[in-house]
């Protein structure tokens, strides 16, 4: 599995540029001319809207807020989420072994992020019926925000011709106000919050600071699911979008 850092730590990548790169790498992996690849980057601020988002769960217009943040329709499952400075976005472009098991793949993505969070001293979990990685709430906490479950990593995938697209958005140190934009329900969540590694640990980290740990964990968890790189290109088994909560 190949790793490709797209100017990580030195430049914020416009979402459209990253999406175009995803499609180009996906085509090469489908064709068998490139090995399965992890794309790591940090985006300029953007709201992405998945296929399941209702009109009241997305921003109005093509740009929103004083900063005129772009709003982009994407071809994944899920609803509306945000990418931007302080979030480590990883797009695994992987040829999955046959038979393709999308649920198993999603769970492996979550487990990899949980492994990294554990190494940072955090307690995280998966939540039945929801995708992504969550910091469990404490009903006895004095601060209201701590009483509810908080999403620290969003996830959304698409599988076309046996090869994955999109992926994960791990909140390392973003401005969490980005998730409170009027008219959006981040990832469709109405009864939980959003958090970050820095908010939970008190450590000031950059997205690039966790790139090695996340890449290592993903490679470890995903390698058993990836087809033999010497195998022939996968047949066209159709396209599936996992109904999830990120563009990543």
């Amino acid at each position: 599995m190949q790793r490709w850092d797209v100017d990580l730590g030195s430049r914020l990548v416009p979402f459209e540029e990253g999406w175009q790169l995803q499609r180009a790498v996906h085509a090469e992996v489908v064709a068998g001319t490139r090995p399965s690849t992890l794309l790591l980057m940090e985006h300029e601020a953007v709201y992405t809207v998945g296929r399941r988002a209702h009109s009241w769960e997305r921003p109005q217009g093509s740009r929103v807020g004083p900063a005129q943040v772009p709003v982009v329709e994407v071809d994944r499952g899920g609803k509306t989420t945000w990418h931007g400075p302080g979030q480590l976005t990883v797009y695994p472009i992987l040829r999955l072994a046959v038979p393709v098991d999308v649920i198993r793949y999603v769970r492996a993505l979550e487990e990899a992020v949980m492994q990294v969070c554990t190494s940072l001293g955090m307690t995280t979990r998966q939540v039945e019926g929801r995708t992504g990685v969550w910091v469990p709430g404490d009903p006895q906490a004095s601060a209201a925000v701590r009483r509810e479950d908080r999403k620290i990593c969003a996830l959304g995938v698409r599988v076309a011709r046996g090869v994955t697209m999109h992926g994960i958005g791990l909140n390392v140190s973003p401005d969490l106000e980005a998730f409170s934009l009027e008219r959006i329900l981040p990832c469709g969540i109405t009864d939980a919050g959003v958090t970050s590694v820095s908010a939970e640990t008190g450590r000031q980290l950059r997205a690039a600071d966790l790139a090695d740990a996340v890449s290592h964990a993903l490679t470890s968890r995903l390698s058993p699911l990836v087809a033999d790189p010497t195998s022939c290109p996968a047949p066209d088994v159709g396209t599936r979008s996992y109904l999830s909560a990120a563009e990543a």
Side-chain angles (χ1 to χ4, degrees):
M1 193 181 302
Q2 193 174 79
R3 170 178 165 179
W4 183 350
D5 290 13
V6 184
D7 297 331
L8 187 61
S10 63
R11 179 174 72 98
L12 298 175
V13 178
F15 179 77
E16 292 285 2
E17 178 185 332
W19 197 8
Q20 182 177 351
L21 179 59
Q22 273 198 80
R23 292 192 289 259
V25 172
H26 181 272
E28 293 176 350
V29 175
V30 166
T33 58
R34 175 185 289 275
S36 291
T37 301
L38 298 177
L39 296 175
L40 287 79
M41 64 189 74
E42 188 176 4
H43 280 301
E44 293 181 350
V46 64
Y47 290 98
T48 64
V49 182
R51 291 173 171 171
R52 293 180 60 236
H54 299 292
S55 60
W56 60 88
E57 297 171 320
R58 56 159 298 155
Q60 288 182 305
S62 60
R63 291 181 176 269
V64 294
Q68 290 294 283
V69 176
V71 179
V72 181
E73 305 275 350
V74 293
D75 59 351
R76 58 164 171 80
K79 300 194 177 187
T80 300
T81 196
W82 174 90
H83 299 296
Q87 184 186 84
L88 177 61
T89 304
V90 185
Y91 300 118
I93 315 296
L94 313 176
R95 182 189 304 286
L96 296 178
V98 177
V100 171
D101 187 338
V102 180
I103 301 297
R104 185 183 176 198
Y105 170 64
V106 167
R107 296 299 169 241
L109 291 173
E110 293 169 342
E111 290 161 3
V113 174
M114 291 170 66
Q115 177 180 320
V116 174
C117 290
T118 297
S119 72
L120 294 169
M122 300 169 55
T123 298
T124 55
R125 67 176 182 176
Q126 295 159 313
V127 174
E128 186 174 355
R130 289 177 166 171
T131 56
V133 176
W134 299 79
V135 176
D138 178 3
Q140 306 303 316
S142 57
V145 69
R146 296 278 173 171
R147 296 183 199 130
E148 60 185 10
D149 288 348
R150 303 176 297 285
K151 190 171 222 178
I152 196 166
C153 181
L155 184 155
V157 304
R158 179 173 183 258
V159 181
R161 299 193 66 187
V163 177
T164 63
M165 292 184 70
H166 302 292
I168 63 170
L170 174 60
N171 294 334
V172 180
S173 56
D175 179 357
L176 295 177
E177 283 299 311
F179 294 94
S180 62
L181 180 70
E182 185 179 0
R183 282 186 62 84
I184 78 163
L185 298 175
C187 305
I189 300 168
T190 59
D191 59 351
V194 180
T195 191
S196 68
V197 173
S198 290
E200 296 296 328
T201 66
R203 298 173 60 182
Q204 296 305 308
L205 297 167
R206 302 175 306 146
D209 293 335
L210 295 186
D212 288 346
V214 171
S215 179
H216 176 77
L218 287 171
T219 298
S220 174
R221 298 282 181 169
L222 297 177
S223 289
L225 309 184
V226 175
D228 183 339
T230 63
S231 63
C232 296
D236 188 350
V237 293
T239 300
R240 281 181 277 179
S241 293
Y242 191 77
L243 301 183
S244 54
E247 181 278 322

